[in-house]
Amino acid sequence: MQKIIDLFIKENILDEEKLKLFIDKYGEERLSIANLLKVRLLEQEKVDEILLQSLRMQTLELDDLEGIQGIDTTDLLKKQAKKAGIKYIDISSIDIDYKLIKRLPLKQLMRYSALPLYVEDSQVTVAFENPNDFEAKGAIERFFHGKIMEVALGRKAIIHQVLSQLHENEQVEEFSVDIKSDLEEGGNDNSADNESPAVLKLIELILSSAITKGASDLHIEATEKHCLVRFRIDGMLQENFRTDHGIFSPLASRMKLLSNLDIAEKRKPQDGRFTKIVNGRVFDFRVSTLPTMFGESIVMRVLDKTKALVKLEEAGMNPTSYKKFLQGIHSPYGIVLVTGPTGSGKTTTLYGALNEIMNVKDKTITVEDPVEYQMDGIQQVQINATAGLDFPAALRSILRQDPDKIMIGEIRDQETLRIAIQAALTGHLVISTLHTNSAVAAIGRMIDMGIESYLISGAVVAIQGQRLVRKICQSCKEEAVLSTTLKEDIKKYVPENSKFYAGKGCPVCNGSGYVGREMISEVLTVSDTLSTMIANGVTKDELEKQANSEGFFSMFQDGLQKALEGKTTVEEIIRVARS
């Protein structure tokens, strides 16, 4: 957003001095285009004029404006189309004629960012990313002999997504034919020496597609008739493509070779790992194989090494949670816990915390199973249960290494928790994760694990609860009408007549209405009062009541705030955070 603010100041539609006064009065967290329009520091007409001019001159991309409160990109596109004397088409709301697209060379369509949509009588409607590109219009028009081409403005992200998916499907088909041809020539699909070059190309395509689409896991599965490739995107599995069953065996063999697994062993589960540069970045892939009825199930977890470098302020916490969590991890000693279910981003938060507190004057040691991201300046210990190095054994050894700060990947049992608490009580800062539904519930969980309440009250400094919620797809975002039940459910948390949004589904989000994920969080700071209450063994309800009186901001409230900002939907918050 800073780029847009700087543009408005440069174009003299926003007064820099008045902007400073606004920030002094309301704080940085209230700074948004919507609020600047509300207090009349900006005028809608001038904002639209500058943004349309920047889009036309290509000094700004539409992507730069997506998700900014107060800027409606669909409205801007409609105004842009009106100025050009053409119509804007919402591609997500129409049925694309794919037979029409196949009549044109895909490379040409991709080169000119053009998408033929449909034919009506003698007229063909084509959506362009840039309708002012006369070369593109001329080149595409030549393919429609005897028909009139109607030029329309389409959303760039949707045009690119549709064309990319068609290109990917074309490549999969081509590689599958080549693999089958190579197998027929070689006559033995089990031979590692008989690897088809097309298999390597298919693997490159699968990995590249997964990274581009933001997949956290890749699933390659054999069914009775097909080889199925699915990606887990934003926590949900989506089918990417399916091809003939015969492709699975050479594909699985090559994946196993990459991961240093036994390609001949198909009756036992195996685990491996490999590192690969994909789209110019280094990724680790953790591979697991499992024998199934029709072959094997291969699942790969994508580990993005850049996530280890994430800054805590960029992790997505709300300002209240961020300040409280920061205060907790900067304590000289004590235990700070991050809680939430599997896949809620706890490990990313831990690495963000390590980046924040890492200091050359301190010795920081981590114990993880497995070490997901390697970091400079800290000592990382990998658990090896077969060699007798489990969490408790590793922790005992770590305490003899004169550490200042300790990070435990996950607290799974009473023994690990007891050692962690003892370390916290003896002057070490310990940060770790625990599987509980909320920050307050972590207290009860530790007591259930057999730890005395007086030890918990003395050791715990702060507990963060977090979840990941899916973000609304900006390419098909529209205002949503909430059901009466939902309105009733949230009315005490939000102002009357609040506006909410949802994605209606488009090619960019694969029809889900969501793209990407955002953290919602809550942080319970253990005050002196709460510490005494924990030691006295009060109930969860009493702890919650006291926390609320001290200004506790729950995950549910944080989620609704993000829904009000148009980042996610109320349905998603209810699904993820309603306990």
Side-chain angles (χ1 to χ4, degrees):
M1 189 180 73
Q2 192 55 50
K3 187 178 178 181
I4 312 302
I5 296 284
D6 292 342
L7 173 69
F8 291 161
I9 292 168
K10 185 186 169 189
E11 295 292 337
N12 296 318
I13 67 165
L14 178 62
D15 188 295
E16 200 167 356
E17 287 303 314
K18 287 180 181 176
L19 177 65
K20 282 176 185 170
L21 289 171
F22 175 91
I23 293 168
D24 289 341
K25 186 175 180 181
Y26 299 108
E28 285 272 5
E29 60 269 19
R30 297 290 300 278
L31 179 61
S32 70
I33 304 300
N35 286 337
L36 293 176
L37 285 164
K38 207 177 280 181
V39 298
R40 299 190 179 179
L41 286 183
L42 284 171
E43 288 177 35
Q44 189 70 61
E45 201 177 310
K46 287 180 179 176
V47 165
D48 289 347
E49 189 185 319
I50 295 299
L51 291 178
L52 285 170
Q53 182 185 307
S54 301
L55 288 170
R56 191 171 62 251
M57 304 293 288
Q58 294 184 320
T59 53
L60 266 187
E61 290 284 332
L62 200 69
D63 290 353
D64 298 326
L65 309 176
E66 297 289 18
I68 295 177
Q69 261 191 291
I71 297 177
D72 185 337
T73 52
T74 302
D75 190 50
L76 274 175
L77 285 169
K78 285 175 181 174
K79 286 173 180 171
Q80 190 181 347
K82 194 177 178 183
K83 268 197 165 184
I86 57 174
K87 66 180 178 182
Y88 164 72
I89 289 188
D90 179 4
I91 301 169
S92 63
S93 64
I94 62 165
D95 289 326
I96 301 168
D97 184 349
Y98 286 97
K99 286 179 184 172
L100 173 65
I101 299 172
K102 283 184 178 177
R103 283 162 47 186
L104 280 78
L106 198 54
K107 280 184 181 175
Q108 287 283 78
L109 294 176
M110 291 179 83
R111 181 184 168 189
Y112 294 117
S113 286
L115 184 65
L117 299 173
Y118 52 83
V119 181
E120 276 180 349
D121 301 325
S122 60
Q123 186 169 283
V124 183
T125 302
V126 182
F128 286 84
E129 173 200 323
N130 180 9
N132 298 320
D133 188 338
F134 295 104
E135 185 195 338
K137 288 193 283 189
I140 301 301
E141 196 167 19
R142 282 195 286 273
F143 291 105
F144 301 113
H145 306 293
K147 290 196 185 291
I148 300 162
M149 184 176 80
E150 184 189 26
V151 174
L153 175 65
R155 193 177 274 272
K156 174 185 171 182
I158 296 182
I159 293 172
H160 281 213
Q161 182 60 37
V162 172
L163 295 176
S164 296
Q165 193 59 53
L166 287 169
H167 181 56
E168 190 179 304
N169 293 345
E170 206 174 74
Q171 284 184 297
V172 169
E173 220 169 280
E174 183 189 313
F175 297 152
S176 298
V177 169
D178 290 347
I179 292 167
K180 281 191 278 187
S181 169
D182 291 343
L183 289 175
E184 282 163 16
E185 283 173 29
N188 179 12
D189 63 353
N190 292 320
S191 170
D193 301 321
N194 189 36
E195 284 298 341
S196 160
V199 173
L200 293 172
K201 289 178 186 173
L202 183 57
I203 288 171
E204 291 281 352
L205 177 66
I206 291 169
L207 298 181
S208 173
S209 177
I211 299 305
T212 303
K213 291 174 182 176
S216 60
D217 300 85
L218 290 77
H219 293 241
I220 302 171
E221 299 154 333
T223 65
E224 190 176 2
K225 293 178 182 175
H226 297 105
C227 168
L228 186 64
V229 176
R230 298 192 290 168
F231 297 157
R232 189 173 293 282
I233 299 168
D234 302 332
M236 303 287 179
L237 273 175
Q238 295 178 9
E239 184 176 319
N240 203 52
F241 66 84
R242 62 175 62 205
T243 184
D244 294 344
H245 178 85
I247 304 300
F248 179 81
S249 189
L251 186 60
S253 293
R254 190 68 207 179
M255 284 292 189
K256 285 180 173 182
L257 273 177
L258 272 173
S259 316
N260 292 317
L261 301 178
D262 182 355
I263 63 166
E265 181 55 79
K266 297 180 181 181
R267 296 168 303 166
K268 290 180 186 174
Q270 296 186 73
D271 292 309
R273 190 173 184 148
F274 67 92
T275 300
K276 198 163 179 57
I277 296 171
V278 183
N279 301 345
R281 285 159 60 202
V282 180
F283 290 89
D284 278 348
F285 295 89
R286 262 201 346 244
V287 182
S288 166
T289 72
L290 182 74
T292 63
M293 283 280 289
F294 303 106
E296 287 173 284
S297 169
I298 298 173
V299 176
M300 288 184 279
R301 164 64 56 90
V302 182
L303 299 173
D304 182 353
K305 292 198 167 193
T306 58
K307 282 191 178 176
L309 305 172
V310 72
K311 290 181 179 175
L312 200 57
E313 61 265 32
E314 292 167 7
M317 290 181 213
N318 62 69
T320 309
S321 293
Y322 175 65
K323 282 174 191 169
K324 287 180 178 179
F325 189 70
L326 205 61
Q327 193 182 346
I329 61 172
H330 280 292
S331 301
Y333 56 86
I335 186 164
V336 177
L337 293 170
V338 180
T339 74
T342 303
S344 59
K346 299 190 298 296
T347 304
T348 304
T349 302
L350 283 191
Y351 278 104
L354 282 177
N355 276 324
E356 175 64 37
I357 62 176
M358 207 162 48
N359 190 315
V360 73
K361 294 174 185 175
D362 292 327
K363 175 135 183 167
T364 305
I365 308 181
T366 78
V367 51
E368 304 166 68
D369 181 23
V371 172
E372 291 199 3
Y373 307 107
Q374 291 164 19
M375 290 178 74
D376 291 331
I378 61 172
Q379 305 302 308
Q380 292 174 277
V381 178
Q382 167 96 35
I383 290 300
N384 186 346
T386 53
L389 186 66
D390 55 12
F391 275 108
L395 272 173
R396 286 192 200 95
S397 300
I398 283 170
L399 289 169
R400 292 194 288 272
Q401 287 278 312
D402 185 31
D404 297 288
K405 292 158 186 173
I406 301 165
M407 187 268 261
I408 306 166
E410 186 185 341
I411 291 174
R412 297 173 181 169
D413 53 63
Q414 191 207 75
E415 198 178 355
T416 307
L417 180 56
R418 191 170 287 281
I419 299 168
I421 284 178
Q422 292 294 353
L425 289 168
T426 52
H428 304 88
L429 177 69
V430 180
I431 57 173
S432 187
T433 69
L434 194 66
H435 282 273
T436 62
N437 288 331
S438 67
V440 177
I443 304 293
R445 174 88 178 104
M446 287 186 278
I447 291 167
D448 290 344
M449 286 172 80
I451 305 297
E452 295 80 0
S453 53
Y454 69 88
L455 289 177
I456 297 167
S457 70
V460 179
V461 172
I463 305 167
Q464 165 152 313
Q466 67 178 65
R467 298 278 195 287
L468 292 177
V469 292
R470 292 177 294 166
K471 293 196 288 186
I472 297 170
C473 172
Q474 297 299 320
S475 298
C476 59
K477 180 179 171 181
E478 61 180 14
E479 199 172 323
V481 180
L482 298 191
S483 66
T484 313
T485 315
L486 274 181
K487 279 182 187 172
E488 197 62 34
D489 214 13
I490 64 170
K491 71 176 183 183
K492 66 175 181 181
Y493 299 104
V494 298
E496 260 190 88
N497 304 319
S498 295
K499 281 187 181 179
F500 294 101
Y501 299 87
K504 62 182 172 184
C506 68
V508 172
C509 58
N510 203 21
S512 68
Y514 298 96
V515 170
R517 287 192 288 179
E518 173 104 359
M519 183 202 287
I520 57 170
S521 60
E522 61 187 23
V523 176
L524 177 71
T525 303
V526 180
S527 63
D528 290 342
T529 309
L530 279 170
S531 180
T532 306
M533 290 172 77
I534 292 165
N536 291 335
V538 302
T539 63
K540 182 189 167 189
D541 290 344
E542 287 174 288
L543 286 174
E544 275 181 355
K545 192 177 176 184
Q546 177 59 30
N548 289 333
S549 72
E550 293 177 10
F552 179 66
F553 189 69
S554 74
M555 256 188 295
F556 187 64
Q557 289 169 284
D558 183 26
L560 287 178
Q561 185 56 43
K562 284 185 165 67
L564 282 168
E565 290 166 9
K567 292 178 180 176
T568 188
T569 63
V570 174
E571 287 87 351
E572 181 71 357
I573 300 305
I574 298 284
R575 180 183 76 83
V576 171
R578 197 60 151 156
S579 52

